[in-house]
């Protein structure tokens, strides 16, 4: 083949490869963007993402820690409570969405059921362990009836004595978790139906097991991917009614399992929690990597449970106590219950002065979510919250003795989960490896194209200055004749004269 033609061919091929690489550089992210949008829309046709949303087939756990009271007699006499943490008692959590109904306005409704199974191998102790905690039925009711007529308080106290209900409970972990037989509860449910928010055995999590979190209606993302997973309504409500301001009553964000894709460091993670009776929001903290997958870590801001004096937007959640406590009495039948971070982490330090044995640290007691920013899918989650009872001495209710006014921690629990196994492998392949391969391919095309263009130039140049052709050979005799012409040499010049 003529070298000029070969050079032209290499130049054309190289140019096409460079152009294709440059086009792929700009088109590649668009292709990935469109594939993510197409594959995460809540649609049964999207098998992997739909299964991840519907059945959440990843390891989920609830770890529960009890604050065992070491000095109940001293507390009843007005002394400062001293506690020791017992646990964790770990339960595998299984959740599944049922009654899934798609609507014409690109939303979907569902009920999400949850079940818990004790994991002895992961626990520090057993469900048969015995601990002592405040008796919510007695101390909670006493605070609720503080402003009622004295005669009523005396009657309530007499009822407690009749059913042998004291200020503290010493029960097994299993009983406190899932319920124990209480003659007082049976009596109240029989003669005052509807007075208590539960029937049957009384336990801290008795209403959680084999229950649902309410009817959620969320956006599928089909009409606008920016709305995917966002809550449209909960139990038919587009806003709540138990708080004091419209802002606090807003139902914001998602249901707390997934978020819209294409997040930035300025994005936040708003979600609605039925258990906390309000919307919460996490903020960006830092970048990270899990199993080769890039992530953003989000954490709770210090203002999450701040009181209205320290953070004005939270005024609607009051009546408030110290910062770091969320008063949930308005959605828990007026029981004096408060939510906080474990060990009063990020709370007013004065709370630590009222209870001995608390040692808050960010690593053990801060909550976080690790999110893959491109898809909005959580990779690793740890939500940690503490349940506290406000208790005090109430005149007329003898069971309260001389108990000092205190927000008493009872338990703290951690809801955790992480992507693992086949799902993690598929996730890594589709969202890390393939985009990386596409990026390498585009650079390979550009590199090979430039190499081909350089080769074309070299071939073309060698064709111009390469071996002599016939026309140049015919000129050689003229050069030979010049060699026989007499010219003074350097030696004749040097030795002349």
């Amino acid at each position: 083949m003529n070298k000029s033609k070969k050079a032209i061919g290499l130049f054309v091929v190289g140019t096409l490869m460079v152009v294709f690489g440059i086009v792929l550089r700009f088109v590649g992210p668009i292709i990935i963007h469109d594939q993510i949008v197409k594959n995460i829309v809540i649609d049964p046709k999207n098998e992997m993402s739909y299964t991840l949303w519907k059945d959440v087939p990843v390891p989920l756990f609830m770890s529960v820690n009890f604050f065992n009271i070491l000095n109940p007699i001293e507390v009843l006499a007005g002394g400062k409570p001293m506690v020791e943490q017992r646990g964790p008692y770990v339960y595998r959590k299984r959740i599944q969405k049922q009654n899934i109904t798609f609507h014409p306005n690109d939303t979907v409704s569902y009920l999400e059921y949850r079940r818990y199974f004790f994991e002895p191998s992961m626990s520090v102790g057993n469900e048969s362990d015995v601990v002592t905690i405040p008796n919510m039925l007695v101390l909670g009711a006493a605070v609720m009836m503080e402003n009622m007529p004295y005669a009523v308080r005396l009657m309530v106290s007499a009822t407690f004595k009749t059913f042998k209900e004291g200020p503290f409970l010493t029960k097994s972990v299993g009983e406190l978790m899932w319920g124990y037989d209480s003659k007082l509860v049976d009596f109240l449910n029989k003669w005052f139906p509807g007075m208590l928010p539960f029937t049957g055995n009384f336990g801290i999590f008795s209403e959680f097991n084999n229950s649902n979190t309410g009817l959620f209606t969320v956006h599928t993302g089909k009409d606008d991917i920016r709305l995917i997973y966002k809550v449209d309504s909960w139990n038919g409500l587009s806003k709540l009614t138990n708080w004091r301001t419209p802002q606090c009553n807003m139902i914001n964000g998602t249901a707390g399992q997934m978020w819209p894709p294409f997040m930035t460091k300025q994005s936040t993670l708003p979600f609605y929690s039925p258990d906390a009776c309000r919307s919460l929001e996490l903020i960006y903290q830092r970048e990270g990597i899990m199993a080769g997958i890039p992530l953003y870590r989000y954490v709770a801001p210090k203002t999450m449970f701040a009181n209205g004096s320290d953070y004005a937007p939270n005024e609607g959640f009051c009546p408030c106590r110290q910062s770091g406590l969320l008063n949930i009495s308005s959605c828990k039948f007026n029981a004096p219950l408060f939510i906080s971070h474990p060990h009063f982490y990020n709370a007013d330090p004065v709370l630590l002065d009222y209870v001995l044995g608390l040692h808050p640290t960010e690593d053990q007691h801060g909550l976080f979510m690790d999110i893959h920013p491109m898809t909005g899918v959580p990779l690793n989650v740890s939500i940690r919250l503490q349940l506290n009872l406000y208790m005090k001495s109430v005149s007329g209710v003898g069971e309260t003795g001389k108990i000092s006014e205190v927000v008493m921690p009872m338990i703290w629990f951690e809801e955790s989960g992480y992507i693992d196994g086949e799902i993690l492998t598929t996730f890594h392949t589709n969202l890390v490896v393939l985009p990386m391969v596409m990026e390498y391919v585009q650079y390979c095309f550009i590199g090979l194209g430039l190499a081909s263009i350089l080769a074309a130039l070299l071939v073309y140049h060698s064709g111009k200055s390469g071996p002599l052709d016939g026309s140049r050979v015919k000129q050689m005799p003229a050069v030979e004749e010049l060699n026989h012409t007499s010219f003074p040499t350097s030696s004749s010049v040097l030795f002349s004269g």
Side-chain angles (χ1 to χ4, degrees), residues 42 60 64 94 144 215 224-225 249 282 298 302 314 410 484 494:
I42 302 177
L60 298 173
V64 181
R94 294 179 184 171
M144 293 167 67
L215 182 65
D224 186 347
I225 199 63
N249 278 321
L282 307 186
Y298 289 83
K302 290 186 177 181
N314 283 353
M410 294 191 298
H484 293 285
L494 287 173

Side-chain angles (χ1 to χ4, degrees), residues 54 96-101 109-113 215:
K54 177 179 178 291
Q96 186 178 45
K97 295 177 175 65
Q98 298 181 14
N99 297 64
I100 298 174
T101 305
S109 299
Y110 62 88
L111 292 171
E112 184 171 271
Y113 286 84
L215 182 65

Side-chain angles (χ1 to χ4, degrees), residues 346-423:
N346 262 354
D348 190 327
V350 72
L351 293 170
L352 299 175
D353 295 335
Y354 297 141
V355 181
L356 301 176
L358 303 179
H359 308 285
T361 65
E362 181 179 2
D363 288 344
Q364 296 183 49
H365 307 125
L367 64 83
F368 68 86
M369 286 192 185
D370 291 339
I371 306 292
H372 181 245
M374 189 177 292
T375 60
V377 173
L379 302 176
N380 188 23
V381 173
S382 178
I383 300 298
R384 300 160 175 161
L385 295 173
Q386 179 172 296
L387 182 65
N388 311 278
L389 177 70
Y390 171 61
M391 60 187 200
K392 61 185 293 189
S393 176
V394 176
S395 175
V397 184
E399 286 71 21
T400 62
K402 297 180 180 179
I403 294 176
S404 299
E405 184 177 353
V406 62
V407 177
M408 185 70 194
M410 294 191 298
I411 64 167
W412 75 265
F413 58 94
E414 175 184 18
E415 295 266 3
S416 61
Y418 55 90
I419 288 183
D420 196 13
E422 184 179 347
I423 292 179

Side-chain angles (χ1 to χ4, degrees), residues 120-380:
S121 63
M122 302 176 67
S123 303
V124 179
N126 212 303
E127 283 191 308
S128 59
D129 293 350
V130 175
V131 296
T132 299
I133 64 171
N135 188 342
M136 286 191 292
L137 288 175
V138 172
L139 299 180
V143 172
M144 293 167 67
M145 297 182 178
E146 182 180 16
N147 296 321
M148 296 187 73
Y150 187 75
V152 173
R153 283 178 269 151
L154 287 175
M155 184 178 67
V156 169
S157 181
T159 303
F160 290 151
K161 289 181 174 63
T162 300
F163 292 100
K164 300 179 180 180
E165 292 282 353
F168 300 101
L169 286 173
T170 300
K171 298 280 186 183
S172 71
V173 167
E175 289 177 308
L176 293 173
M177 285 286 297
W178 310 116
Y180 60 91
D181 182 42
S182 169
K183 289 183 170 59
L184 174 60
V185 171
D186 294 338
F187 171 79
L188 292 175
N189 281 328
K190 179 179 179 179
W191 296 104
F192 303 95
M195 178 180 178
L196 297 177
F198 54 86
T199 57
N201 291 350
F202 173 70
I204 298 174
F205 289 96
S206 59
E207 298 299 306
F208 276 47
N209 213 0
N210 299 315
S211 66
N212 65 73
T213 54
L215 182 65
F216 273 95
T217 300
V218 303
H219 291 269
T220 65
K222 188 175 182 180
D223 57 334
D224 186 347
I225 199 63
R226 294 171 297 180
L227 297 177
I228 190 171
Y229 310 126
K230 289 192 175 181
V231 178
D232 182 66
S233 66
W234 176 75
N235 282 342
L237 301 172
S238 58
K239 60 182 180 180
L240 304 174
T241 58
N242 45 280
W243 304 113
R244 296 171 53 196
T245 62
Q247 181 177 353
C248 292
N249 278 321
M250 293 175 66
I251 297 178
N252 296 325
T254 73
Q257 293 174 349
M258 296 183 185
W259 280 265
F262 315 121
M263 304 176 71
T264 69
K265 295 178 181 179
Q266 286 70 45
S267 302
T268 60
L269 295 187
F271 63 99
Y272 173 66
S273 170
D275 297 327
C277 308
R278 58 166 285 192
S279 296
L280 302 170
E281 188 171 42
L282 307 186
I283 59 173
Y284 172 86
Q285 185 190 53
R286 62 174 174 82
E287 291 181 298
I289 294 178
M290 173 182 163
I293 302 173
L295 59 84
Y296 286 172
R297 171 158 290 191
Y298 289 83
V299 297
K302 290 186 177 181
T303 56
M304 177 176 281
F305 297 139
N307 62 24
S309 299
D310 290 344
Y311 185 61
N314 283 353
E315 181 65 36
F317 296 122
C318 294
C320 297
R321 299 192 64 79
Q322 293 89 348
S323 274
L325 299 171
L326 172 66
N327 187 345
I328 58 172
S329 60
S330 62
C331 67
K332 299 297 181 183
F333 300 89
N334 292 319
L337 295 172
F338 291 80
I339 286 178
S340 69
H341 295 300
H343 287 246
F344 296 132
Y345 170 70
N346 262 354
D348 190 327
V350 72
L351 293 170
L352 299 175
D353 295 335
Y354 297 141
V355 181
L356 301 176
L358 303 179
H359 308 285
T361 65
E362 181 179 2
D363 288 344
Q364 296 183 49
H365 307 125
L367 64 83
F368 68 86
M369 286 192 185
D370 291 339
I371 306 292
H372 181 245
M374 189 177 292
T375 60
V377 173
L379 302 176
N380 188 23

